[in-house]
Every structure is written in structure tokens, then in C-alpha cells.
Amino acid sequence: MPLARFSVLLSLALPMTLPQGARAQTAGEKPGAATGPQDRPSPAEAQPGDEIVVTARRYGEARVAAETEFGEDEIASHGADSIQDLLARLTPFIGNSGSDDEPVLLINGRPADGDRSILSYPAEALNRLAVLKPDAAAQYGYPPGRRVVNLVLKQHFASLNLDAGMTAATAGGQYGGDLSAGRVTIDGPTRWNVQARISRDSALRKSARSLPAAAGIFDGTGYVTAPGGGEIDPALSQLAGRPVGLAAIPPGAASQAPTLADFAGTADRTHPVDPDAYETLLPSKRSILLSAGVTRPLGAFSASLSFNATSIGSNGLRGLPMASIEIPAGSPWSPFGNAVLLVRPFAGERALRNDNSSQTLGTSLTLTGRIADWQVTLSGSYGRNWTDSLIERGIDARSVQQLVAAGDPAFNPYGPWSTRFLLAGRNRAKGDNLSARLNVIKTAIDLPAGPLTANFSINASRNSLESRNGDLSGNLVVTDRASGRIDGQLSLNVPLSRRGKDGAGPLGDLALNLVAGGQSLSGGSLQKRFGAGLTWTPHPVLQLRGTLEDVEAAPSPEQLDGPVVTTINRIYDYARQEAVDAIWILGGNPNLGRGRRQSRALTAMARPLADQTLTLNFGYSEQVAKGGVAPFPELTPAIEAAFPERVTRDAGGHLVSVDARAINLARDTSAELTSGIALLLPRRGKATPAGASADPMRWSISLNYRRRLKSELLTRAGIPPIDQLGPDSGQSRDFVSLQATAGKRGIGATLNGNWSGSARLRNAGPGGAYRFAPSSILNLSLFVEPEHILPGAAKTPWLKNVKLSLDIRNLFDGYRRATLEDGSIPAGYTRYQIDPLGRTVRLSIRKRF
């Protein structure tokens, strides 16, 4: 076929064919900027040798343009092992409008609903990562302000990863390690992965740190003494040949009643032990995780099926339990003529336990595709979980004393004791969650400034919980609850003006987002939700956004029916000025009520260099919640006075337990200012100078500042509000976060950290006000890939695709220092009472096949 004829036929078949000298549309151009039909050559005008350039949508492109993109080399310069790790490192450059919500994820431009397995893919599987413009969330059916990240995978990729790592505290006392393996294969629209990981961390015992000694006498065997001190029994002293005020339990006493001669042989003997060796500052931890997923075309849809299973556990020690029992004269187990005091551990050197374990199984299925003009996503998931929590508080000495006082010959006070004499609470629960989500998107009408997009989503879920909670007194509470929820939302994205469009005028890009929705719980009324967002870009270097939201909020199923978990939390008790290991109760609270939340936010983003090199962010947000649900605050004297029923103390005033489950507040008011600066070098879009490296060192730095303007809690009507930023709070107003990176393919470093301002706490106790100095924590991460930096390493098989990483947490071993008015350090605020672990170092190696 002659070339001229072929050119004519091809120009007829491809409506986007451009004449010679035209160029392909670039990523930064708007679709409407392409050359119009009047500029195309007619078939008769086509000449032999004409260059034919076809423009098409980039592979994996989302419906909304990208605000920031990171290519393969930029991704490699961060040294992330997985996509999840990469997202964490890029958080300062993703932003989320002051929200703590995770970004919405797209995979190749499509929602990743339910497909969390993508987070375990190696970062090398990405072709690019795009952060979409702020109005993208509404177009994908999510609340205004959520950021959307598009993960564009390579079209063909296969990898087997093996990872091993070891972690240690530089002060000693705790060590850990982990092993993982993962297989990922991508073949166009089809991909599958399998990931497995196992990890374990040893417990950190109090004996590994320099801490104040525990009060009391701790003996590994037990002994008898006179109740008021002095001589136990004159007959024993005569037999021993000296006055005896203490005698260890004889070896044979566990099987038969001991004699005076047996005690004479153990006179003045003890078996003291270090109580800190039987108490942990941090429990041992273990975890096993397994996940698998597959995605492939299914007709006009793309189907994703995933499965995950986890098993997580921790084991802590609460100290050596000791009991003091009076054995009366005449007891079948006492050879003495007087009453004696028996002091003994529960069972030798067996410590009190605090064990927690949880197991989960889950699966999800997602279908994404088009039906006529509708973009449809349908997903469903099912999960099942089991939890088991055990906490032992001490010995039931009262029951033991009653048996001994009754002279029960069957009960040997020197022998092994039944576990029924342990004060223990156990909580077991199992739950199910079944959920489904439908999301449909359609262009409703074409406006002069662009298409008006309608987005409708509906979610339905059902949760059930069966629990058996036993308290320290042996009382058992059985719970069997089920609840359902339906949530729907309709959003409209209305473009009002667009720069460069006819009739747009000087307004630039202006878009309005309207959201209306509601949810209904089982047996409850409809709770409505309304929101609006306005995004305005008057100039390419400036973007402004404002949001309003009014929500009638109800507690989540987890907040209502979550399994109760009882653990130990080391906190500071201001009432007694001491650090204590208190029982900490977490989980669902079925007594929670509904509330209403109103929020407003204004944000501004400026890029004065007209590219992504320098980004400035500013924001203001405020929120008022009435009757809403909130986490239990830090236990300050003001909070304890407001929630006395949540705090339990013993007869001596010592803090025993805190019910830290979620609470309802009469009103919670907060406001804050945020600002940030992010710098990426070298500048993007600039031509590489002659002689410069094709893979230059990349630098980035982000600095974010947050100032809390207001944080006020009204716990109950008629009670004065609590100013959480006032002198009675001990909380900081100012916070700074920093992240700096330098790297290229093969080598790099990341420094990140946080700084919090000073604070003051009055009326904390007899010692006066507490002054908290500013504190900072810095972390350093380094990585190196020998094949990219060592000559000839790429030809060495065992060095190919190998990465070595060093991570140092709390680089300068910092902690929050506290002093009293006279400059002294209050009890409970020494270095390792504040942060027992301190600096840790992790060394890991990764091999990719």
C-alpha cells in the first residue's frame, strides 16, 4: 500500500491525529487545549512523509489531574521497602487538610476499595505515585478535604522479596527480630501477591533499668516471723541455741506438717529476690501476618479478591505476688506455741501475668467497571476476630486466711496454692463484621466550566459480638449483641469557572462541592450529614479551599460493642506524685450516646515558583462537638475530678485502675492554626545541564507548625469547663514536625522528628506546679544498595538487588523533662520512668529476586 494512502486512512481512523510539527499533549495541558478539528489536514492534504502523532490518556491516569507526582527515581531515592512505607515517608508532601485520616487510594486510576493488600507491594512495583488535587475526594465519593493518592503500577513486574531485621535498645534489656517473605506478580491488568511476616520482641524488665526500688520484702521461698516482731517461739530459740526472729519454710513442709526441728534448721535463713526481675516495663510481643490478593479482568469489570489473617499477642509481668497469713497457735500446720506470721510468694518465683492475644481473619471482594455511562464500584468484606485478655492482680489473702483460721487440715499453707486464690480477670470475645459498599459516579451535565459530576455511595454493615468478661472478684458478665448500620451519601461536584474557558472571566478555577448524607443504626433514627467545600485557584501559584460540615454523629460499632481489653498502662498519678502500673480498661462502651459535630476549615496552598519545588501551606480549623464521643483524656487532677467513677483507688489512695473507654462530652470545642513549608530539589521540569548526572541527588525538606488556639471540654452540664490548654492541663500548645531526606537510587538518608512546646500543670499535689520543658524526638534512617554504588557489585549475584537499612529511633535519647517549682525532679519523672525504652537501633537486610 502506498505510504500516502496509508496516511490518509490512518488520519480518518484516528480523530486525534495531528499534522506535521504538532506535538503530543503533555501531562500539564488541559484536554481542551488540544488542536481543534480545523487544524487537522484533510485526506487530500496529507502528504507522504507526514509525521503522525497520536495522543492518548496516560496509563493509569485518574479522572482528576495530579497536583504532585513522584516518578521511579524519586521513589527509589526514599529507600522505602513497601508502598505503605513509601506513603508514610511522603506524608508531608501528601497532606490531608489538617485531618488525621489516611489518604484515599486509587490503583491505576480506580478506587482501591477493600484492596489493602496493595500496601504490602514493594515500592519498586510503582511506575509513579500521584497526589491528586483536593477536589478529587468528592468525585470519588469521599468527604471533602480527604486527599486522594493514585498508585500507578508497572504494567509488567515480578518480584520475590526476603527481609530480615533485628532491633535492640541501646540501653539494653530489649531485643527483637522479624522475618518476612513476599511474592508479587503484575501482568497488565492482572496481578497477585502473597505476603507473610513473623516478628517477636522480648520483654523489657524493670531490672534492666535504674529505677527506684519497690517497697516491701520479696522472698522466693517464704518464711515465718512473729506478728509483732521479735522472737518467734522460745522453744524454737532454745532448740536453735539462739534467739530466732525469722525462719524459712523448711523443704519438706510442702508435703507434711513441719516440726520445730525443721524450722530450727532454717533459722535466720531467707531467699531474697530482686522484685524488678519479675515486673516488665514493656511486655514481650509476637505477631504473625499472612495476606494474599489477586486482581484480574472479569468481563467489563476488574475484580479484586483478598484474604488476610493475623495473630498478635503480648505477655507482661506484674511483679512477684506476696501474701502475709497469720497461722494461729494450735493449727495442725503449726508446731509453735504462739501465733506466727507466714510471709510467702504465691508459687515460688511465679510472677503475676498480663497476657493479651487477638486473631483475625478477613476477606474482601471488589468489582470496578462501567455500566453504560456509570462508573460503578461494588465491594463486600467479611471479618472475624477473637480476643483474649488475662490480668492477675494479686493473691486473695482473705480467703486463704479464712481457711487457715478455720484449721482446715486439708489446706497446707506451706504447699502449692490453687490458682483460685489468684485475683484475676479474664475477658474473651469473638466478633463478626459483614459489610458492603456501592459507589456510582456519573457526569450529570456539561457546564461551561466543565462537567457536573454526581456521586452516590451507600454502605451497609452488620456487627456481632459475643463476650465473656470476668472481673477480679470472679463475677462473670456474658454479652451477646448485634448491630447494623446503613450509611448513604450523595455529592455533587459543580465547576463554576475554569481558567482559559470562554466566558470564565478573571475568576480562575472555581469549583463547589456539595455533600448530603445520613446513617441509621439498628433501631435508631436517621442521623443526617451535610457538607460543602469551595476550591478556588485564582492563579496557578495559589489555591484556596474552604469547607463546612454539620454531622449528627453516632458511636461506631467498635466504640459501642468492641471487645473489652484489660491491660497495664504505666501512668503518672498526680494525686500521690508517683508513677504507677495501673489497670487500663479499653474497648466498647454500650452506654455511649449520640451527638452533633460542626466544623469549619480554611486552607491555602501557594507555589510561588509555579512548580512543585516550593510549597507553602496555611490553614485554620475549628470544631464544636455537642454530646459527641471522645477518647478518654489524660488523667490529670481536673479529669479525675470530672470522671470520679472512672478511677479506682485502694484504701491507701493508691491508683488501681482506670476505665479508659470512650466517653460522651457535653461539649468539646477546639481550634487550631497550621502552616508548613515543603521544598523539593532539584527543581522539576528543568533541563539537565550538560555533564550533570542523569540520576542526581534529590533533596527534600518539610517543616510543619501547629498551634492549638482552643481546646475546651465541658464534661457535664453544671460543671465548669476544663481548659485543656490552661495551666491546669499540662498540655502543649505548639507542635513542630520535621522531615528531611537526601538520596538517589542506591543510597539515601531520612531525618524526621517532632517537637512539642513547654507546658505547666498547677494544683497537681503537695509539690506545687509541674513545669514541662520543651521536648523533641528525632529519628534517622539510612539505606544503601551496593549494586548501585560499588563498582562491579551488579555483577555479583549475592549483591544484586540487596538493600541494607539502618534505623535509629530517638537518635538523641530525648524525653519530656519535668521539674517542680524549686527545680527538683518530681518522683516518677526520672529518665526511664518517662520513657523506659529510650533509643533503639534496627538493622535490616532485604534481598529481591
Side-chain angles (χ1 to χ4, degrees):
M1 180 183 293
L3 179 60
R5 184 180 178 189
F6 175 79
S7 301
V8 170
L9 292 177
L10 188 58
S11 67
L12 292 172
L14 298 173
M16 293 301 292
T17 301
L18 302 180
Q20 183 177 4
R23 56 186 173 85
Q25 176 186 326
T26 63
E29 293 177 332
K30 293 182 173 58
T35 305
Q38 70 273 16
D39 297 323
R40 301 192 192 106
S42 66
E45 295 172 333
Q47 299 296 326
D50 280 355
E51 179 182 358
I52 299 175
V53 180
V54 179
T55 64
R57 189 176 182 179
R58 293 172 72 195
Y59 170 73
E61 195 77 21
R63 291 194 306 272
V64 180
E67 182 180 83
T68 305
E69 278 196 355
F70 297 89
E72 285 189 60
D73 288 339
E74 291 173 293
I75 291 172
S77 69
H78 285 82
D81 289 339
S82 65
I83 292 179
Q84 185 171 21
D85 186 20
L86 177 66
L87 289 171
R89 295 176 186 235
L90 293 180
T91 296
F93 305 98
I94 294 174
N96 209 18
S97 301
S99 172
D100 293 329
D101 294 330
E102 294 181 352
V104 176
L105 296 182
L106 309 181
I107 303 174
N108 296 335
R110 295 184 174 185
D113 290 342
D115 188 4
R116 304 296 292 177
S117 63
I118 190 70
L119 297 176
S120 62
Y121 280 34
E124 292 87 351
L126 286 174
N127 175 273
R128 65 185 185 275
L129 182 149
V131 182
L132 306 189
K133 292 184 176 181
D135 56 342
Q139 296 199 32
Y140 284 97
Y142 291 90
R146 290 283 297 274
R147 297 313 304 263
V148 181
V149 173
N150 185 22
L151 305 173
V152 183
L153 302 173
K154 293 177 179 176
Q155 296 194 52
H156 300 283
F157 179 82
S159 174
L160 171 63
N161 293 338
L162 299 178
D163 297 79
M166 292 189 64
T167 305
T170 57
Q174 189 186 56
Y175 307 90
D178 58 83
L179 295 170
S180 64
R183 173 69 174 172
V184 173
T185 299
I186 303 174
D187 185 11
T190 300
R191 64 180 185 270
W192 63 270
N193 74 292
V194 177
Q195 306 285 336
R197 184 174 186 270
I198 182 171
S199 66
R200 185 174 182 86
D201 294 312
S202 66
L204 176 63
R205 301 192 181 225
K206 290 184 69 174
S207 55
R209 296 290 183 265
S210 178
L211 297 172
I217 299 176
F218 297 88
D219 192 275
T221 301
Y223 57 88
V224 295
T225 185
E231 191 177 34
I232 297 177
D233 188 333
L236 177 61
S237 299
Q238 183 178 2
L239 194 60
R242 63 185 183 278
V244 178
L246 181 147
I249 298 176
S255 57
Q256 60 183 3
T259 65
L260 278 177
D262 293 330
F263 279 104
T266 61
D268 300 322
R269 293 184 189 174
T270 59
H271 300 84
V273 295
D274 179 6
D276 289 347
Y278 305 93
E279 188 172 353
T280 55
L281 296 169
L282 295 173
S284 63
K285 298 178 181 178
R286 64 192 181 280
S287 66
I288 301 174
L289 298 94
L290 175 66
S291 65
V294 60
T295 298
R296 58 165 298 162
L298 190 64
F301 283 76
S302 175
S304 297
L305 177 66
S306 65
F307 168 82
N308 64 81
T310 64
S311 177
I312 302 174
S314 66
N315 300 97
L317 302 179
R318 302 202 57 238
L320 190 66
M322 300 292 296
S324 297
I325 305 298
E326 185 176 289
I327 303 178
S331 167
W333 297 98
S334 174
F336 306 111
N338 306 314
V340 296
L341 189 67
L342 170 64
V343 180
R344 59 160 289 178
F346 175 77
E349 298 185 7
R350 181 199 186 282
L352 297 172
R353 298 179 297 163
N354 177 209
D355 301 337
N356 291 280
S357 66
S358 66
Q359 295 79 37
T360 62
L361 289 175
T363 184
S364 66
L365 175 64
T366 302
L367 298 174
T368 304
R370 299 193 70 87
I371 300 178
D373 294 335
W374 299 82
Q375 176 70 37
V376 180
T377 300
L378 177 63
S379 62
S381 64
Y382 172 75
R384 188 169 180 84
N385 62 81
W386 298 264
T387 61
D388 190 349
S389 173
L390 169 68
I391 183 167
E392 295 174 345
R393 181 178 170 187
I395 301 173
D396 185 2
R398 180 178 179 182
S399 296
V400 174
Q401 184 65 68
Q402 290 175 346
L403 288 175
V404 173
D408 186 351
F411 180 73
N412 183 352
Y414 311 110
W417 287 354
S418 169
T419 54
R420 67 187 178 93
F421 294 118
L422 272 178
L423 295 173
R426 185 155 212 149
N427 302 325
R428 289 190 174 101
K430 61 180 179 179
D432 295 90
N433 173 264
L434 181 64
S435 64
R437 180 175 187 264
L438 172 66
N439 177 245
V440 292
I441 304 172
K442 179 178 173 59
T443 299
I445 187 173
D446 287 324
L447 299 175
L452 185 152
T453 305
N455 186 310
F456 175 72
S457 61
I458 186 169
N459 305 269
S461 64
R462 180 172 178 80
N463 297 270
S464 63
L465 174 72
E466 298 178 22
S467 65
R468 300 171 63 87
N469 301 329
D471 61 19
L472 298 177
S473 300
N475 300 317
L476 183 64
V477 178
V478 179
T479 303
D480 188 354
R481 285 195 298 268
S483 63
R485 170 179 294 211
I486 297 179
D487 185 297
Q489 176 176 292
L490 173 65
S491 66
L492 298 175
N493 191 61
V494 187
L496 303 177
S497 172
R498 176 169 292 181
R499 188 170 46 256
K501 288 286 184 178
D502 294 339
L507 291 179
D509 291 343
L510 183 63
L512 175 66
N513 175 247
L514 301 174
V515 177
Q519 66 176 358
S520 178
L521 300 177
S522 300
S525 58
L526 179 67
Q527 292 115 52
K528 298 176 286 295
R529 178 172 66 250
F530 300 99
L534 187 67
T535 304
W536 182 30
T537 307
H539 190 275
V541 303
L542 178 64
Q543 183 180 86
L544 305 173
R545 181 169 178 80
T547 59
L548 297 171
E549 190 176 27
D550 191 322
V551 178
E552 294 177 352
S556 68
E558 292 75 17
Q559 290 173 326
L560 286 171
D561 301 324
V564 176
V565 177
T566 304
T567 184
I568 299 298
N569 192 18
R570 190 170 185 81
I571 63 174
Y572 190 77
D573 181 10
Y574 291 101
R576 295 184 56 85
Q577 296 190 353
E578 60 185 6
V580 296
D581 295 321
I583 299 172
W584 204 253
I585 302 172
L586 300 171
N589 179 6
N591 298 319
L592 291 175
R594 301 172 181 174
R596 184 173 183 175
R597 183 181 69 253
Q598 296 175 318
S599 60
R600 294 171 289 275
L602 294 172
T603 59
M605 183 186 70
R607 286 181 168 156
L609 302 180
D611 60 15
Q612 300 164 349
T613 302
L614 177 63
T615 302
L616 304 174
N617 289 285
F618 305 93
Y620 169 79
S621 63
E622 61 180 27
Q623 178 176 283
V624 178
K626 298 179 180 179
V629 178
F632 192 76
E634 181 184 358
L635 188 64
T636 62
I639 293 298
E640 182 174 357
F643 297 96
E645 72 282 359
R646 292 296 192 103
V647 179
T648 301
R649 295 182 178 273
D650 61 17
H654 298 89
L655 183 63
V656 174
S657 67
V658 178
D659 184 350
R661 295 176 296 170
I663 58 176
N664 275 120
L665 295 171
R667 188 178 69 246
D668 183 2
T669 306
S670 62
E672 66 179 29
L673 285 172
T674 58
S675 61
I677 179 172
L679 180 65
L680 296 171
L681 294 173
R683 291 190 66 178
R684 301 182 177 196
K686 297 295 181 182
T688 304
S693 171
D695 183 20
M697 182 70 73
R698 291 174 172 82
W699 306 81
S700 70
I701 185 170
S702 71
L703 190 66
N704 296 281
Y705 170 69
R706 179 169 69 102
R707 180 169 178 83
R708 301 169 68 190
L709 302 177
K710 186 176 185 179
S711 181
E712 189 176 86
L713 297 180
L714 179 62
T715 58
R716 296 178 178 87
I719 296 178
I722 300 173
D723 183 2
Q724 294 205 103
L725 301 179
D728 296 328
S729 69
Q731 297 189 27
S732 302
R733 282 182 175 268
D734 304 289
F735 302 88
V736 176
S737 62
L738 165 73
Q739 179 172 295
T741 64
K744 63 178 184 177
R745 189 181 293 272
I747 188 170
T750 299
L751 179 70
N752 65 73
N754 297 280
W755 175 90
S756 58
S758 60
R760 189 167 181 263
L761 179 62
R762 298 183 310 182
N763 304 322
Y770 284 54
R771 297 182 182 273
F772 299 96
S775 64
S776 60
I777 300 293
L778 289 175
N779 310 303
L780 177 65
S781 297
L782 307 168
F783 80 92
V784 61
E785 296 173 340
E787 69 171 309
H788 294 292
I789 61 171
L790 297 180
K795 299 179 181 179
T796 306
W798 64 275
L799 285 179
K800 188 173 179 61
N801 293 324
V802 168
K803 182 171 71 174
L804 300 173
S805 301
L806 177 67
D807 298 286
I808 306 175
R809 176 193 169 275
N810 198 356
L811 180 63
F812 298 111
D813 203 24
Y815 69 101
R816 195 183 193 195
R817 291 174 170 82
T819 58
L820 297 174
E821 295 283 3
D822 59 3
S824 62
I825 298 176
Y829 268 96
T830 61
R831 168 67 187 87
Y832 289 115
Q833 286 179 309
I834 297 297
D835 176 20
L837 189 58
R839 183 194 301 113
T840 61
V841 176
R842 171 180 166 80
L843 179 64
S844 60
I845 181 171
R846 178 175 181 246
K847 171 71 173 175
R848 187 163 62 88
F849 298 91

